[in-house]
Amino acid sequence: MALLAAGIAAGLAGLGGALGIGLVVSKTVEGVARQPESRSSLMTIMFIGVGVVEATPIIAIVIAFLLMFAL
């Protein structure tokens, strides 16, 4: 059961991260399309947002592995 729970947790973490990054990038592209002159500031904010969104699934996968090997 621990292996199944860890697999589900890792899969959902990856899915959530992918959806989050997709939303961040799509909104950045929309912003650049509306105001091309603000591209550099939007890209900077996008990379910070992608880093924050990507950290959450990595932490979730580490926790899933820790729980899997602890039981």
Side-chain angles (χ1 to χ4, degrees):
M1 290 302 280
L3 292 174
L4 180 64
I8 291 172
L12 289 177
L15 179 66
L19 289 174
I21 290 173
L23 288 173
V24 169
V25 172
S26 71
K27 295 300 179 180
T28 302
V29 169
E30 285 180 17
V32 170
R34 290 174 191 251
Q35 294 181 341
E37 66 275 1
S38 65
R39 180 177 184 249
S40 63
S41 64
L42 286 175
M43 294 294 280
T44 303
I45 294 170
M46 181 195 74
F47 286 128
I48 293 170
V50 166
V52 171
V53 170
E54 187 66 27
T56 306
I58 291 171
I59 292 169
I61 290 172
V62 168
I63 290 172
F65 285 153
L66 288 175
L67 290 174
M68 182 177 67
F69 291 122
L71 298 176

